[in-house]
Amino acid sequence: LSAYAGQDIYIAVQCVSVDQFYLFVDDFELVCDPILTYLGPVWHVSTTGSDLTGNGSQENPFATIQNGIDSSSDGDTVLVAAGTYVENINFNGKNIAVIGADSSNTIIDGNQSGVVVTFMGNEDSTAMLSGFTISGGFSTDVGGIICIASSPTLTNLMISDNSTTLDGGGVYLWGSNTTLMNVTISGNSASNNGGGIFCGGNSNPTITNVIVSGNTATNGGGIYCENSNITITDVTINGNSAGNSGGGLFINDSTFTVNNAIISSNTASNDGGGIRCQNSSELNISFSAITNNSCDSGGGGIAFSESTSNLVNVSIINNNDSFDAGLFVGEGSSVVLNNSLNYGNDIYFYGDGNTIQISYSNIQGGYEGEGNIDADPFFCNPDSGDYTLAENSPCVGTGENGTNI
């Protein structure tokens, strides 16, 4: 230890309990303020804290989220006060909860210097990230959040303005059973696949109450899924775009289940404005609306290739492509349509070996099948995108077993 005359010397000493002590070094008398040891299990982070003098307590918080993570153990919680934290964090295999004050005012900004949040240490569902805006992520691999061989719980997040030159602008899942709930994924981009979400490697995520909007990619502007099994419920996918195919969704060699979703106003330069489904995929959709999507080639609503699909209580309305097709069924695909509505767009077939079975549905232009009708559905306000059925709609009570189409 050395110092010039008049130079201040600061010594941080970890100790259990002492108010102040004196340290004599040669002719220097040093007054030392100790950092009291804090053992959690709740660790505090604030923009007014310090990683040098803080100990993670509420009275003496850390300044960075990563320091809170590094100090924690499995089962601990890291509480982050409102503010902007410019850092890239890694859970490092810890099953902890990192919770921000609110996604509207607690921001983790990756500063374009890498992935913002990393889960690559076999974290399970008890690892939680909640209450943040995740933005400013950029790398050649992934943008906002990466989950490889990990299955954390992601809740109450806004994931926006992240980008990558490869896959997964907003979220990248590989071999992951991640849960996403109450999340908005918007304004992200990927030069390759999955502007909002990329899902691959036998992943099995559950996505509930999520908005995927305004994302861009070459394929799967909103969500790209390959070799995986994904379920989405109470989801809105709108305003996404693909330079090639699958403006809203691109499904490749996967099982994809959609419940109570709105897939609208997505675009693709090639095929599948709303959805592109291909390569032995299985697409199951129920109680959902696919509206006002468009593409330059085939399948304004959904483009099928070598796939199977079961559509129940699905409204396919006013989608547009070069064939005016809401459903573009091709290359050995098989589709079942029940209790559904196809209006303002056609059904188009291409290639050999395609089958479609339609029942108890309202098909503009008519289609053979039990219980099918061809009638103006009387939407409440279609000019504003409200396709709710009016009380006097011919679709009311004319579905299977007296249900609505």
Side-chain angles (χ1 to χ4, degrees):
L1 179 69
S2 62
Y4 297 104
Q7 181 178 357
D8 293 332
I9 300 175
Y10 184 85
I11 299 176
V13 179
Q14 291 275 357
C15 58
V16 175
S17 63
V18 66
D19 291 332
Q20 196 177 69
F21 63 89
Y22 294 87
L23 177 66
F24 295 92
V25 180
D26 292 337
D27 294 330
F28 293 95
E29 178 181 333
L30 307 177
V31 179
C32 301
D33 292 316
I35 302 174
L36 299 182
T37 297
Y38 179 73
L39 302 177
V42 178
W43 304 89
H44 297 266
V45 179
S46 172
T47 55
T48 61
S50 171
D51 286 348
L52 179 62
T53 62
N55 62 9
S57 65
Q58 186 172 4
E59 298 77 16
N60 204 7
F62 295 130
T64 62
I65 301 169
Q66 189 62 55
N67 205 16
I69 294 172
D70 293 343
S71 300
S72 68
S73 302
D74 284 354
D76 286 1
T77 298
V78 178
L79 294 181
V80 183
T84 298
Y85 299 82
V86 181
E87 55 181 309
N88 308 84
I89 67 172
N90 191 328
F91 272 57
N92 289 319
K94 294 184 178 181
N95 292 316
I96 60 174
V98 178
I99 302 175
D102 188 270
S103 63
S104 65
N105 58 22
T106 313
I107 302 164
I108 308 177
D109 182 354
N111 199 33
Q112 306 297 311
S113 61
V115 182
V116 184
V117 184
T118 297
F119 296 93
M120 293 177 61
N122 295 307
E123 294 90 350
D124 62 25
S125 61
T126 62
M128 175 185 292
L129 183 70
S130 179
F132 293 96
T133 290
I134 306 299
S135 67
F138 171 78
S139 77
T140 55
D141 299 319
V142 182
I145 299 176
I146 185 171
C147 305
I148 295 181
S150 299
S151 301
T153 300
L154 308 177
T155 69
N156 303 314
L157 300 174
M158 296 181 64
I159 304 170
S160 62
D161 301 318
N162 304 282
S163 61
T164 177
T165 56
L166 197 58
D167 300 320
V171 179
Y172 181 96
L173 307 175
W174 188 269
S176 172
N177 298 334
T178 292
T179 295
L180 290 95
M181 183 178 297
N182 302 328
V183 175
T184 296
I185 302 171
S186 64
N188 304 283
S189 64
S191 298
N192 198 22
N193 301 317
I197 301 173
F198 176 93
C199 179
N202 290 306
S203 292
N204 187 19
T206 300
I207 299 175
T208 305
N209 195 23
V210 169
I211 297 172
V212 181
S213 66
N215 304 283
T216 62
T218 299
N219 294 301
I223 301 175
Y224 181 95
C225 180
E226 69 174 25
N227 192 28
S228 293
N229 185 335
I230 184 169
T231 299
I232 65 174
T233 304
D234 299 328
V235 169
T236 297
I237 301 170
N238 74 292
N240 303 282
S241 63
N244 186 36
S245 297
L249 305 173
F250 191 107
I251 305 164
N252 181 46
D253 190 23
S254 296
T255 298
F256 204 106
T257 301
V258 179
N259 305 304
N260 195 28
I262 297 172
I263 301 171
S264 67
S265 303
N266 303 284
T267 62
S269 295
N270 191 5
D271 55 13
I275 303 172
R276 166 71 176 180
C277 183
Q278 67 176 37
N279 192 17
S280 301
S281 290
E282 178 182 338
L283 173 63
N284 302 303
I285 306 179
S286 62
F287 298 98
S288 298
I290 301 170
T291 65
N292 297 104
N293 303 283
S294 63
C295 66
D296 293 337
S297 183
I302 309 176
F304 294 103
S305 175
E306 299 178 320
S307 298
T308 61
S309 183
N310 190 30
L311 310 177
V312 180
N313 288 101
V314 178
S315 296
I316 304 163
I317 304 169
N318 288 345
N319 300 282
N320 181 262
D321 65 5
S322 56
F323 304 93
D324 290 324
L327 295 178
F328 194 70
V329 184
E331 298 177 344
S333 293
S334 177
V335 176
V336 175
L337 193 66
N338 178 257
N339 264 36
S340 294
L341 175 61
N342 191 78
Y343 196 82
N345 39 219
D346 295 330
I347 300 173
Y348 186 89
F349 297 92
Y350 73 103
D352 299 324
N354 303 301
T355 63
I356 188 166
Q357 178 182 331
I358 303 176
S359 59
Y360 296 97
S361 296
N362 187 359
I363 307 298
Q364 187 175 19
Y367 205 91
E368 64 180 15
E370 184 177 0
N372 293 332
I373 62 173
D374 175 13
D376 186 331
F378 294 163
F379 298 125
C380 286
N381 194 355
D383 291 340
S384 65
D386 180 4
Y387 298 111
T388 305
L389 298 176
E391 291 183 0
N392 62 339
S393 169
C395 298
V396 173
T398 54
E400 189 172 15
N401 299 320
T403 60
N404 293 346
I405 291 176

